[in-house]
Amino acid sequence: MRFPLQPDVLVNAERIPARLIAAEAQNHAAPPGKPGHAWRAAARALALRALLLQEARRLGLEPEPRDLGAGRREVPEEALIRAVIERRMQPVPPDEDACRAFYARHEAHFRAPAVYEASHILIAAPEEAAARTRADAAARALLGVLATHPQDFEDMARRHSDCPSGANGGRLGQLCAGDTAPEFEAALGGLAVGTITPEPIATRYGSHIVRLDARERGAILPFDLARPRIRETLERLAWSHAARSLVAALLEDATITGVDFDHAA
């Protein structure tokens, strides 16, 4: 990826050469034809890294590298950045009242997984383009018949499905999250009870015609069961807020030229 000519970046008079920013930019995504997006993201990342290391020096911190597992160990700069974050960031841990308030506001998010009853007709196909195309065409032909004769679903499953469930009219019984391929599960979530998918559903097994026979929404979890998930969510939010506050404080006291943080999105 080529980058337009860009200036060096100065962070409190510390120079970050454009060549280093260009190298870092390889790690940042950018829309096609707009490499400047990646360059600016890289420049901001390196500028923040410089600010954190400058803060470590201001605080008189000494690097104490930690083992990271799998044979990896922090380099001194990583250890210094971690030390600054530990020293300067103090996220407020969520208490019981905060957890209960979050639960009250978002109760509907803490449902047990839905349970489905579904049937399908599978036209099996290996991972080969021509075979997948033939399977899709065969499934579409069956859908054309079902559009006017939906009552024939079970009979068509017995005659055409490559799944063992075909012998039972395509019935798969009760299904929960994770029981089927992601594409199949997504199709179930978008169907009304008693309806058939308007298009074949492609999975690694082939093309499926799916009918949703019943759906039971999961019950809302009681607070005691939801508490660990709520606490984890609130801890992440607190950490994110503390990180933004630290970055804002460092930027407020810094003089940076060559990259703009006012529009960092």
Side-chain angles (χ1 to χ4, degrees):
M1 182 184 296
R2 292 182 178 274
F3 298 94
L5 183 63
Q6 299 284 1
D8 293 348
V9 170
L10 292 177
V11 181
N12 294 326
E14 178 182 337
R15 185 176 300 276
I16 303 174
R19 60 181 176 77
L20 294 183
I21 299 171
E24 171 66 18
Q26 307 298 326
N27 301 318
H28 296 265
K34 295 185 177 180
H37 286 245
W39 192 95
R40 286 188 291 274
R44 292 178 188 122
L46 292 179
L48 286 175
R49 179 182 178 87
L51 280 175
L52 288 165
L53 291 172
Q54 290 172 12
E55 180 67 2
R57 291 193 291 271
R58 188 187 72 80
L59 294 172
L61 300 177
E62 294 293 333
E64 297 180 8
R66 292 178 181 174
D67 288 324
L68 301 175
R72 286 196 64 235
R73 186 174 175 80
E74 287 180 326
V75 299
E77 286 191 346
E78 291 174 333
L80 283 173
I81 290 171
R82 173 179 50 76
V84 170
I85 290 171
E86 291 173 351
R87 173 75 67 89
R88 289 288 308 269
M89 281 178 50
Q90 297 180 351
V92 179
D95 58 18
E96 184 76 359
D97 288 343
C99 290
R100 288 188 178 277
F102 187 88
Y103 178 79
R105 292 195 304 272
H106 305 282
E107 190 178 73
H109 292 235
F110 298 99
R111 286 187 177 275
V115 177
Y116 303 94
E117 289 186 15
S119 303
H120 81 143
I121 300 170
L122 169 64
I123 309 300
E127 295 288 342
E128 190 266 316
R132 307 289 285 187
T133 299
R134 290 193 296 270
D136 179 77
R140 289 180 184 277
L142 295 177
L143 275 172
V145 177
L146 288 169
T148 53
H149 298 85
Q151 69 277 7
D152 292 343
F153 190 99
E154 290 84 358
D155 181 59
M156 294 178 71
R158 293 185 184 96
R159 290 189 288 119
H160 299 288
S161 183
D162 293 317
C163 177
S165 67
N168 193 34
R171 292 185 181 86
L172 294 169
Q174 289 193 337
L175 302 169
C176 295
D179 285 347
T180 64
E183 303 89 344
F184 194 106
E185 189 172 317
L188 289 178
L191 281 177
V193 173
T195 62
I196 299 171
T197 48
E199 300 282 334
I201 305 303
T203 73
R204 63 182 180 275
Y205 303 108
S207 292
H208 305 254
I209 300 169
V210 182
R211 184 183 70 191
L212 179 60
D213 299 323
R215 177 194 287 115
E216 182 178 343
R217 293 189 71 192
I220 293 178
L221 297 176
F223 174 74
D224 286 344
L225 292 181
R227 182 192 283 111
R229 184 172 148 198
I230 293 171
R231 186 175 296 279
E232 181 183 350
T233 297
L234 291 180
E235 286 174 349
R236 286 200 305 269
L237 290 172
W239 194 94
S240 178
H241 177 75
R244 288 196 301 270
S245 296
L246 172 58
V247 169
L250 292 175
L251 289 174
E252 184 178 1
D253 295 333
T255 300
I256 299 176
T257 60
V259 66
D260 182 10
F261 277 87
D262 291 336
H263 303 92

